[in-house]
Amino acid sequence: MPEMAVLMPVHNAGRFLAEAVASLQRQSFQDFILFACDDGSTDGSWEMLQEMARSDHRIRLLRNPRNLGVTATLNRLWQEAGEGFPFYARMDADDVALPDRLETQKKYLMEHPEIHAVGCFLEVIDEEGRSFGCRRYPETAAEVHRALLLGSPLPHPALLLRSELYRKMEGYRPVRGAEDYDLWLRAAAAGFRFANVPRVLLRYRVSAGQVKQRSLKPTLRSTLRLQRRYLFCKDFFSLTALLHYLAGNLLLLLPDRWVMWLFMKMTVQRKETEQQA
């Protein structure tokens, strides 16, 4: 039985899909099964997956009868994979994993038995693969916990989780645009702990087709509702979290493009520009 299941939802990702899967096939850690579910694609993604599966026995395919969305697709992938794997990795169909991503994260969890899920830093790239910055996250379990009500302190498409977290939390709930954040808050309230490897291990693609790019305000509203639910719990409350929550509500008054600009400005460390001659 392989040690790891990689869960990949796929929806109209044909342009980037081959590169994403190839980045997994080039991993230094090879003892995994890739479970990929096509979520009603219309761009040939399903046919591409079938071709890849014919040449790699580690690729297991599912196909939704229609577009069900990322939450339902992730839960189906988890149920299909079953509970026999010690570790579950997340991967999006338009991102690129660096060659030692899975090995580095697995090693971290093996060396830190008190941590239940580990992420990493991200290199942010555009649709053409051009890099324009790095997204950093809090590193230690204490830092992650303090940041939980300041926005998601974990990179959802770059996580490696222990199986008990998925099992005890019973997967994702339908929270529009924030199903991952809901899971981390519920898990933290239940005593699970998280960390991030302070290294870039994934190239994260920002593209026009991403769900959060298309539904920015609904995602922000979902995030604020979740924060309000936990804000005054003694294990989460801080003055910083309260001020951040109030500021988030003010963002709802701004145009979408301004909110996206502010989000990118605050979360992406831009590459230093070349000095002018």
Side-chain angles (χ1 to χ4, degrees), residues 93-251:
D94 58 351
D95 294 337
V96 182
L98 271 62
D100 62 340
R101 178 207 154 179
L102 298 180
E103 180 181 15
T104 300
Q105 291 180 301
K106 176 180 176 290
K107 181 180 178 182
Y108 186 95
L109 289 182
M110 295 295 290
E111 293 176 349
H112 298 83
E114 77 281 4
I115 301 299
H116 302 92
V118 63
C120 61
F121 293 173
L122 307 177
E123 180 185 7
V124 184
I125 60 176
D126 64 14
E127 293 186 344
E128 305 303 323
R130 294 182 293 253
S131 174
F132 61 88
C134 174
R135 184 170 293 171
R136 300 175 182 271
Y137 292 86
E139 299 173 21
T140 68
E143 290 169 344
V144 170
H145 190 83
R146 286 195 297 269
L148 272 167
L149 291 187
L150 307 181
S152 181
L154 299 165
H156 190 209
L159 278 184
L160 183 66
L161 306 94
R162 297 187 191 275
S163 58
E164 60 261 36
L165 191 153
Y166 260 129
R167 183 175 65 253
K168 291 184 180 179
M169 293 297 101
E170 298 182 340
Y172 298 88
R173 299 192 303 192
V175 180
R176 183 175 180 183
E179 69 285 336
D180 55 331
Y181 193 34
D182 171 68
L183 179 59
W184 315 146
L185 288 169
R186 287 189 290 123
F192 289 98
R193 305 180 72 190
F194 314 109
N196 287 294
V197 175
R199 275 186 53 204
V200 170
L201 295 175
L202 185 88
R203 304 187 77 208
Y204 173 75
R205 197 180 307 271
V206 177
S207 62
Q210 288 177 314
V211 173
K212 288 190 178 181
Q213 295 278 76
R214 302 195 308 266
S215 57
L216 184 63
K217 289 291 181 66
T219 296
L220 179 56
R221 291 190 184 94
S222 294
T223 298
L224 291 169
R225 282 195 294 270
L226 289 169
Q227 290 174 345
R228 184 167 62 248
R229 185 179 304 165
Y230 291 91
L231 185 59
F232 293 103
C233 297
K234 67 175 183 178
D235 291 336
F236 292 92
F237 178 80
S238 71
L239 181 58
T240 300
L242 176 59
L243 294 174
H244 191 274
Y245 170 76
L246 295 174
N249 280 274
L250 292 177
L251 288 178

Side-chain angles (χ1 to χ4, degrees), residues 36-109:
C37 181
D38 181 77
D39 188 26
S41 296
T42 58
D43 69 341
S45 291
W46 174 243
E47 290 74 19
M48 292 180 65
L49 287 170
Q50 289 178 302
E51 183 64 27
M52 294 173 191
R54 279 192 283 269
S55 59
D56 191 335
H57 70 278
R58 296 172 301 169
I59 300 177
R60 311 285 173 82
L61 300 183
L62 297 82
R63 192 181 193 188
N64 292 336
R66 63 184 186 284
N67 179 244
L68 300 179
V70 66
T71 302
T73 301
L74 281 171
N75 283 333
R76 187 181 178 200
L77 282 164
W78 172 58
Q79 291 165 4
E80 179 68 19
E83 299 181 3
F85 296 91
F87 305 104
Y88 293 83
R90 273 283 290 113
M91 179 78 181
D92 280 348
D94 58 351
D95 294 337
V96 182
L98 271 62
D100 62 340
R101 178 207 154 179
L102 298 180
E103 180 181 15
T104 300
Q105 291 180 301
K106 176 180 176 290
K107 181 180 178 182
Y108 186 95
L109 289 182

